[in-house]
């Protein structure tokens, strides 16, 4: 069997969903399990509705809900209008109605509360995927493909870190097999929601931004799938973000390690965690374009593959913040700086705040780390900085971007660093760092220069001869 995951842009309207149905139909012989994200932009709208409701703005809330309902119903009608299977059609519309009734009640609850608790928000956001999967399953059935809607919350079991819940793998692998194998045995295509799961006591959770890829990888690993296919609006993992760099082209093959580094450092094409379950069981991951299903796409495997160039792809992430903690004397003992001590205290502080830095390094006189600036926002961020200032003198550089060059031939490329320095030129490099993995070279530039630098580097590394 295979897993096929369709992102928000692949199911944004009836004609996209029709295209997806045909892609699935052509692969029925591989016994697909389908995973789907919310219809494009729905998650963001649900978040806006929750915030508006908690702020007492009932008009905005109802307006957003009405728009979402109209959109889901009208796309479903377009897909199911010719259905000869009247029964599955009416089930689809009943379910959509029921979901919107539930959603309205939940939003009313937030208005009374005057707040958006993370647990309540996860429940509200889950309706995006519940709705899109209902529409897709209805569309498949009405076009004669046997489909069965399954609720991912019944088998993706997670901890209770709402907003970025972590799967409990042992339970989840067993429950996933238990939920999906019987459906596959009947010859039907299971249609499951990406992004959502539930705690052991049944509360809805979400797996973090773009978590649907993660769901697909977990299902693929649980069922030992032959292939995990991620269908998007781009023809695979590209040499840079095509939205920034129009010259970007498809990377035909790369390794799990390269994909993990790229996604961790900002290549939005895959959820950073999605690589691991697949890599562990050596299941290939393919990234394809649902709008151009004939394109080759990217194949991610253990072996990777050679492109003949030192860098496979350029990723970037912004804004990030660079924090340096310099140690003076150890006050308690009056002795010199103890590096391990400081690293240990930093690690504890990071863990308490659930901050996973992108880079951490110890130097002779202190520690430096780079983190997503969003993790330092708000009151919690202030407390964290306060905590750090007790470890030593702080220097904070915000509004930075981290640019990452990734490729398994990087370690053999002798002149890459000097090429990069020349290329970045007047933009200036804040910090240069070879990753803990030798296939990555990271450096910082001012966030406003990031796109310019990516374009220049892409030209240098992919349009000219560099070895
Ligand atoms: P979906 O929600 O359909 O799964 P997204 O829109 O979330 O897809 O992610 C795809 C986007 O990721 C692309 O439109 C592209 O702009 C961006 N992207 C960033 N880096 C890369 C890259 N290296 N290769 C391909 N796409 C990338
Ligand atoms: Mg998306």
């Amino acid at each position: 069997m295979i897993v096929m995951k369709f992102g928000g842009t692949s199911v944004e309207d009836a004609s996209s969903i029709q295209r997806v149905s045909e892609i699935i139909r052509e692969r029925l012989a591989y016994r697909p399990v389908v995973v789907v994200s919310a219809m494009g932009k729905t998650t963001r709208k649900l978040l806006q509705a929750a915030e508006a409701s908690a702020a007492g703005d009932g008009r905005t809330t109802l307006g957003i809900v009405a728009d979402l309902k109209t959109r889901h119903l009208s796309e479903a009608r377009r897909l199911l209008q010719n259905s000869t299977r009247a029964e599955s059609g009416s089930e689809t519309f009943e379910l959509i109605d029921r979901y919107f009734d539930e959603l309205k009640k939940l939003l009313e609850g937030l208005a009374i509360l005057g707040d958006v608790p993370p647990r309540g928000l996860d429940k509200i956001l889950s309706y995006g995927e519940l709705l899109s999967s209902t529409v897709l399953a209805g569309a498949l059935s009405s076009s004669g493909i046997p489909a069965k809607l399954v609720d991912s919350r019944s088998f993706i079991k997670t901890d209770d870190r709402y907003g970025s819940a972590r799967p409990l793998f042992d339970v989840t692998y067993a429950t996933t097999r238990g939920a999906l194998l019987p459906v596959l045995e009947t010859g039907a295509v299971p249609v499951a929601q990406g992004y959502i799961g539930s705690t052991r006591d049944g509360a809805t959770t979400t797996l973090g931004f773009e978590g649907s890829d993660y769901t697909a990888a977990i299902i693929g690993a649980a069922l030992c799938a032959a292939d995990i296919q991620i269908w998007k609006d781009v023809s695979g993992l590209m040499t840079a973000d095509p939205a920034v760099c129009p010259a970007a082209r498809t990377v035909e093959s790369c390794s799990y390690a390269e994909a993990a580094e790229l996604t961790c450092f900002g290549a939005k094409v895959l959820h950073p965690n999605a690589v691991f379950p697949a890599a562990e069981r050596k299941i290939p991951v393919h990234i394809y374009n649902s709008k151009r299903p004939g394109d080759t796409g990217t194949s991610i495997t253990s072996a990777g593959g050679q492109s003949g160039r030192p860098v496979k792809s350029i990723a970037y992430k912004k804004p990030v913040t660079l924090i340096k903690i310099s140690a003076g004397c150890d006050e308690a003992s009056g002795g010199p700086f103890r590096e391990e001590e400081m690293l240990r205290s930093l690690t504890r502080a990071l863990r308490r705040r659930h901050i996973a830095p992108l880079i951490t390094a110890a130097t002779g006189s202190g520690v430096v780390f780079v983190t997503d600036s969003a993790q330092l926002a708000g009151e919690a961020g202030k407390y964290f900085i306060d905590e750090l200032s007790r470890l030593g003198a702080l220097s904070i550089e915000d509004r930075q971007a981290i640019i990452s060059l990734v490729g398994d031939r990087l370690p053999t490329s002798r002149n890459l660093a000097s090429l990069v320095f020349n290329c970045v030129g007047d933009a200036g490099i804040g910090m240069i760092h070879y990753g803990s993995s030798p296939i990555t070279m990271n450096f910082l530039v001012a966030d406003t220069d990031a796109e310019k630098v990516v374009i220049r580097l892409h030209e240098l590394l992919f349009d000219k001869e560099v070895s």
Side-chain angles (χ1 to χ4, degrees):
M1 53 80 48
I2 62 172
V3 179
M4 303 176 78
K5 178 258 165 174
F6 296 93
T9 42
S10 298
V11 293
E12 65 192 350
D13 55 24
S15 49
S16 308
I17 295 175
Q18 199 109 50
R19 204 164 23 230
V20 162
S21 301
E22 289 317 305
I23 292 172
I24 294 169
R25 189 196 303 282
E26 283 160 17
R27 288 159 186 80
L28 284 177
Y30 299 109
R31 301 202 303 149
V33 172
V34 170
V35 177
V36 67
S37 301
M39 284 169 76
K41 304 194 178 68
T42 304
T43 310
R44 204 179 323 145
K45 295 269 175 209
L46 288 169
L47 176 63
Q48 282 169 4
E51 282 168 351
S53 186
D57 184 355
R59 237 178 102 151
T60 303
T61 312
L62 290 177
I64 295 172
V65 174
D67 285 350
L68 282 175
K69 186 166 179 181
T70 308
R71 177 176 170 206
H72 281 84
L73 284 175
S74 72
E75 300 306 321
R77 260 184 229 117
R78 281 172 60 198
L79 288 158
L80 279 86
Q81 62 191 359
N82 300 325
S83 176
T84 47
R85 295 160 180 79
E87 208 173 302
S88 80
S90 68
E91 264 171 34
T92 302
F93 293 108
E94 274 164 26
L95 203 49
I96 294 176
D97 271 337
R98 202 182 87 204
Y99 283 148
F100 277 102
D101 288 343
E102 291 172 9
L103 182 59
K104 267 194 218 146
K105 285 213 183 71
L106 288 164
L107 289 165
E108 280 163 16
L110 296 189
I112 297 165
L113 215 59
D115 184 26
V116 189
R119 178 176 165 144
L121 182 61
D122 272 6
K123 177 89 187 172
I124 286 169
L125 296 182
S126 72
Y127 284 89
E129 273 71 14
L130 290 170
L131 286 160
S132 63
S133 57
T134 303
V135 176
L136 178 60
L140 290 173
S141 301
S142 89
S143 72
I145 299 172
K148 172 115 174 69
L149 191 60
V150 286
D151 190 331
S152 297
R153 294 172 299 180
S154 70
F155 55 88
I156 302 285
K157 304 312 279 183
T158 71
D159 66 7
D160 61 358
R161 229 166 86 185
Y162 298 102
S164 54
R166 287 164 301 192
L168 307 169
F169 282 97
D170 290 346
V171 202
T172 295
Y173 282 168
T175 46
T176 300
R177 282 192 292 272
L180 298 180
L181 290 176
V183 180
L184 285 167
E185 268 155 32
T186 65
V189 176
V191 179
Q193 307 77 29
Y195 182 58
I196 66 174
S198 74
T199 60
R200 280 173 195 273
D201 45 15
T204 300
T205 52
T206 63
L207 302 178
F209 191 64
E210 296 293 335
S212 294
D213 299 338
Y214 199 17
T215 309
I218 295 167
I219 294 177
L223 302 182
C224 293
D227 195 11
I228 296 167
Q229 303 182 349
I230 310 287
W231 291 79
K232 317 209 60 127
D233 64 343
V234 280
S235 295
L237 171 79
M238 308 195 80
T239 46
D241 183 349
V244 167
C245 183
R249 45 184 187 264
T250 300
V251 176
E252 288 192 6
S253 56
C254 74
S255 65
Y256 294 122
E258 288 170 328
E261 289 286 306
L262 283 164
T263 54
C264 163
F265 289 111
K268 257 199 352 164
V269 69
L270 203 62
H271 186 288
N273 291 337
V275 177
F276 301 110
E280 201 178 71
R281 304 206 163 177
K282 300 212 166 30
I283 301 170
V285 177
H286 281 93
I287 304 174
Y288 294 122
N289 189 342
S290 71
K291 311 253 145 112
R292 299 167 59 101
D295 286 3
T296 316
T298 301
S299 147
I300 306 171
T301 57
S302 323
Q306 292 302 328
S307 67
R309 289 175 186 273
V311 174
K312 283 265 177 71
S313 178
I314 307 168
Y316 81 105
K317 197 172 186 119
K318 75 178 207 182
V320 300
T321 302
L322 170 70
I323 300 186
K324 296 182 192 163
I325 315 171
S326 325
C329 270
D330 183 329
E331 272 176 34
S333 67
F337 159 58
R338 289 212 307 271
E339 193 172 287
E340 291 148 46
E341 195 62 44
M342 185 185 269
L343 264 177
R344 220 173 297 135
S345 308
L346 173 64
T347 309
R348 271 199 300 268
L350 289 167
R351 202 169 289 154
R352 246 195 319 273
R353 309 260 171 219
H354 299 308
I355 295 177
L358 293 155
I359 295 175
T360 315
T363 69
S365 58
V367 190
V368 294
F369 71 96
V370 178
T371 185
D372 194 327
S373 304
Q375 299 200 298
L376 304 173
E379 282 303 304
K382 263 191 234 142
Y383 281 124
F384 175 63
I385 300 284
D386 234 29
E387 209 174 341
L388 294 186
S389 65
R390 273 176 249 134
L391 302 179
L394 287 191
S395 122
I396 300 178
E397 289 173 44
D398 57 3
R399 301 207 193 101
Q400 302 286 300
I402 184 163
I403 299 195
S404 308
L405 308 179
V406 178
D408 58 7
R409 284 188 54 212
L410 210 76
T412 63
S413 174
R414 272 169 297 142
N415 56 352
L416 191 63
S418 66
L419 280 172
V420 168
F421 269 110
N422 286 336
C423 177
V424 174
D426 52 1
I429 291 183
M431 172 201 190
I432 193 158
H433 181 264
Y434 282 89
S436 50
S437 152
I439 62 175
T440 305
M441 178 184 152
N442 300 308
F443 57 91
L444 297 187
V445 297
D447 64 353
T448 45
D449 288 329
E451 287 80 7
K452 179 175 78 187
V453 169
V454 168
I455 292 170
R456 271 198 217 159
L457 275 171
H458 191 274
E459 198 182 326
L460 175 80
L461 295 168
F462 295 100
D463 292 341
K464 299 196 175 129
E465 284 309 308
V466 179
S467 59

